[in-house]
């Protein structure tokens, strides 16, 4: 295909995002940086045009107001102040009513990120081996066995005495005062099997939790995030000027719609100009693209954030083009060649690697901690010595209380 003309100067609407698009004036010359900046410069070199940058006044991609006007990059392109707009703009039906788009050059996976959770405290590790449901079921089983054995197994004993015998069997103590018949032996053997097996599983899991504690639970999917936000445990922020709220509202999943409603109600938004790391210090989730996450936070293992396991959606990014622009086909032709050659992915990955390298250089050496320290067992020792103290008081009571007050 043969093209005859391309303008010598192109007005480009954008805004600055570190490692995505940076603009500097050096010796009266515009120097672009970041993945999007390198792509724009390559387009300029190939199509032989001069770049005139128009920065978005509000530093946003573009949102449609109630009166039908647009702001941000989309607004500059629609009004004709700029010929094209660049900044990983998601292609949507609503935006295409205001501007045209080039062919897609990147796929946005919309996800959310939360701060990497810390380790679960070891002081409460005695509750970790079993879930809450298992603990409740185990307690109910002990109470049921207490009542059953008091009526069937033991000879003339109170419920408290039966409970103490059953509880003692769990901690490997023998059981006495038993009615010895064949069918009672079967019942007793069944319970002793449980009394031996459950503590064994508990002990092995307990030691594992002490030596290799798990991390505190955080939302991993949008359904879990929705429940956490609705319960007040988390906040969820969307990017200003993005179409994330629209995607949540139009979702077929009820939990997505509820999440979008509470975000709109509280006006939870953020911008790339803010310190994103500081936002995550609180229980906060940020909805953005996985590519943006790599640019801002780097790649594992030198990052302290965690991405969601699922996506809100997958959108394609393109260059916004004014509807009166003359040469969209030629722009598409060069963009298609750059995309097929892998250059766009290379520029984005190179800048993401720069963020990862920076994070790596910020990592400080820390002395390795012992997997199990004495302070991790302070609750266990406190419980042990409390039991010893109670036993000693009971011993003194037996010695000091006159026998005449003891029932015969």
């Amino acid at each position: 295909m043969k093209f005859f003309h391309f303008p010598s100067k192109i007005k480009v609407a954008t805004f600055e995002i570190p490692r995505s698009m940076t603009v500097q004036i050096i010796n009266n010359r515009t120097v672009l940086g970041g993945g999007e900046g390198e792509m724009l410069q390559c387009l300029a070199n190939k199509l032989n045009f001069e770049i005139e940058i128009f920065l978005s006044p509000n530093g946003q991609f573009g949102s449609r107001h109630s009166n039908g006007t647009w702001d941000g990059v989309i607004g500059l392109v629609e009004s004709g102040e700029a010929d094209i707009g660049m900044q990983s703009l998601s292609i949507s039906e609503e935006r295409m009513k205001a501007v045209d788009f080039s062919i897609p050059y990147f796929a946005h996976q919309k996800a959310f990120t939360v701060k990497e959770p810390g380790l679960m405290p070891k002081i409460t590790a005695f509750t970790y081996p079993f879930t809450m449901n298992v603990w409740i079921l185990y307690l109910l089983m002990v109470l049921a066995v207490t009542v059953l054995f008091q009526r069937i197994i033991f000879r003339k004993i109170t419920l408290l005495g039966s409970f103490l015998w059953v509880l003692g069997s769990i901690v490997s103590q023998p059981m006495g005062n038993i009615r010895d018949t064949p069918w009672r032996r079967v019942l007793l053997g069944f319970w002793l099997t449980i009394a031996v097996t459950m503590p064994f599983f508990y002990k092995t899991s307990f030691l594992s939790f002490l030596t290799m504690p798990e991390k505190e639970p955080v939302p991993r999917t949008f359904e879990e995030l929705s429940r956490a936000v609705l319960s007040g445990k988390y906040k969820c922020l969307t990017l200003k000027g993005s179409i994330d709220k629209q995607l949540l509202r139009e979702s077929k999943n009820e939990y997505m719609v509820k999440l979008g409603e509470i975000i709109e109600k509280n006006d939870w938004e953020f911008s790339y100009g803010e310190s994103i790391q500081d936002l995550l210090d609180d229980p906060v989730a940020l909805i953005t693209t996985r590519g943006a996450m790599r640019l801002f936070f780097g790649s594992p293992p030198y990052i302290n954030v965690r991405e969601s396991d699922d996506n809100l959606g997958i959108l394609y990014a393109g260059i916004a083009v004014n509807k009166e622009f003359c040469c969209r086909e030629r722009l598409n032709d060069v963009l298609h060649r750059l995309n097929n050659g892998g250059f766009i992915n290379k520029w984005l990955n190179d800048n993401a690697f720069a963020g990862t390298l920076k994070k790596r250089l910020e990592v400080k050496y820390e002395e390795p901690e012992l997997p199990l320290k004495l302070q991790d067992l302070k609750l266990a020792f406190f419980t042990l010595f409390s039991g010893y103290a109670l036993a000693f008081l009971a011993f003194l009571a037996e010695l000091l209380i006159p026998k005449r007050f003891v029932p015969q």
Side-chain angles (χ1 to χ4, degrees):
M1 184 179 294
K2 188 174 181 180
F3 302 98
F4 298 98
H5 171 70
F6 201 88
S8 59
K9 177 179 286 190
I10 296 294
K11 294 179 288 186
V12 182
T14 187
F15 61 95
E16 294 189 86
I17 296 178
R19 291 187 289 278
S20 177
M21 171 72 78
T22 59
V23 181
Q24 292 179 303
I25 305 299
I26 300 176
N27 297 328
N28 295 323
R29 181 172 172 266
T30 302
V31 178
L32 303 176
E36 294 274 326
E38 292 184 62
M39 183 176 70
L40 176 58
Q41 188 61 59
C42 185
L43 289 172
N45 295 339
K46 179 64 179 177
L47 294 169
N48 195 27
F49 64 83
E50 182 183 345
I51 302 170
E52 184 178 359
I53 296 293
F54 284 78
L55 295 178
S56 170
N58 59 359
Q60 294 183 18
F61 301 94
S63 300
R64 185 176 180 272
H65 299 293
S66 57
N67 59 2
T69 61
W70 288 79
D71 61 11
V73 174
I74 299 296
L76 291 174
V77 176
E78 182 200 28
S79 64
E81 295 181 54
D83 299 311
I84 63 175
M86 289 187 61
Q87 192 49 275
S88 296
L89 299 170
S90 297
I91 302 173
S92 70
E93 184 177 354
E94 188 178 29
R95 287 177 174 175
M96 291 186 70
K97 295 176 182 177
V99 297
D100 289 333
F101 277 93
S102 68
I103 60 172
Y105 62 86
F106 194 74
H108 286 317
Q109 298 182 53
K110 291 281 185 176
F112 70 85
T113 182
V114 295
K115 188 174 183 179
E116 184 73 23
L119 297 178
M120 299 176 72
K122 292 182 181 180
I123 192 171
T124 55
F126 68 92
T127 63
Y128 298 160
F130 297 151
T131 64
M132 181 61 68
N133 291 336
V134 173
W135 279 117
I136 293 174
L137 180 62
Y138 196 25
L139 177 61
L140 293 176
M141 184 172 59
V142 170
L143 295 177
V145 170
T146 297
V147 175
L148 182 65
F149 278 23
Q150 188 262 341
R151 295 179 177 274
I152 298 177
I153 300 294
F154 298 123
R155 297 190 184 94
K156 296 181 180 179
I157 196 171
T158 62
L159 278 175
L160 178 60
S162 177
F163 176 74
L164 292 177
W165 282 117
V166 171
L167 195 63
S169 67
I170 296 175
V171 293
S172 303
Q173 296 298 314
M175 299 179 70
N177 197 23
I178 298 174
R179 298 175 183 174
D180 191 6
T181 60
W183 70 272
R184 288 190 176 95
R185 291 178 187 174
V186 174
L187 184 62
L188 184 62
F190 180 71
W191 166 249
L192 290 179
T193 302
I194 298 176
V196 171
T197 304
M198 292 296 289
F200 172 76
F201 288 136
Y202 177 84
K203 292 173 184 177
T204 54
S205 300
F206 178 66
L207 292 176
S208 299
F209 276 103
L210 285 178
T211 53
M212 298 184 65
E214 287 193 350
K215 294 185 176 181
E216 295 179 350
V218 296
R220 302 298 299 272
T221 64
F222 274 93
E223 186 173 4
E224 293 177 3
L225 177 63
S226 179
R227 289 199 299 265
V229 171
L230 292 174
S231 63
K233 297 179 181 179
Y234 263 80
K235 289 173 61 177
C236 182
L237 310 182
T238 57
L239 186 62
K240 291 181 181 178
S242 67
I243 61 174
D244 299 338
K245 294 178 185 177
Q246 178 185 348
L247 293 176
L248 290 169
R249 287 195 307 266
E250 297 175 355
S251 174
K252 296 180 180 179
N253 298 315
E254 185 179 358
Y255 59 85
M256 290 280 200
V257 176
K258 290 182 177 179
L259 179 61
E261 289 175 351
I262 195 170
I263 290 173
E264 286 191 320
K265 179 181 177 181
N266 294 280
D267 196 25
W268 286 338
E269 294 182 327
F270 76 99
S271 65
Y272 287 138
E274 303 176 60
S275 179
I276 298 181
Q277 288 282 2
D278 294 339
L279 292 176
L280 291 174
D281 286 341
D282 298 323
V284 170
L286 304 179
I287 296 181
T288 183
T289 64
R290 296 188 187 274
M293 293 178 197
R294 290 196 297 272
L295 286 176
F296 281 95
F297 302 113
S299 302
Y302 306 113
I303 58 176
N304 60 347
V305 297
R306 177 177 291 180
E307 299 179 10
S308 61
D309 294 338
D310 58 354
N311 296 319
L312 172 60
I314 298 178
L315 302 173
Y316 291 97
I319 299 175
V321 180
N322 184 272
K323 289 187 176 292
E324 303 297 327
F325 187 66
C326 64
C327 309
R328 189 177 63 167
E329 291 186 8
R330 191 171 183 189
L331 177 67
N332 284 339
D333 180 67
V334 176
L335 191 61
H336 179 73
R337 296 178 187 181
L338 292 177
N339 207 5
N340 284 350
F343 292 101
I344 296 176
N345 277 330
K346 177 184 182 302
W347 293 324
L348 295 175
N349 291 334
D350 286 350
N351 284 274
F353 174 75
T356 302
L357 184 61
K358 182 179 179 181
K359 295 292 182 183
R360 177 66 183 91
L361 295 175
E362 291 174 354
V363 174
K364 296 180 181 179
Y365 175 77
E366 296 181 358
E367 291 289 340
E369 293 186 0
L370 295 174
L372 189 60
K373 297 179 291 187
L374 184 61
Q375 64 180 7
D376 298 328
L377 300 174
K378 58 185 178 182
L379 183 61
F381 282 112
F382 175 77
T383 305
L384 176 64
F385 288 119
S386 296
Y388 285 158
L390 292 174
F392 183 70
L393 291 176
F395 174 70
L396 290 179
E398 290 183 1
L399 293 178
L400 299 178
I401 295 177
K403 291 184 178 180
R404 65 175 177 272
F405 293 108
V406 179
Q408 299 297 326

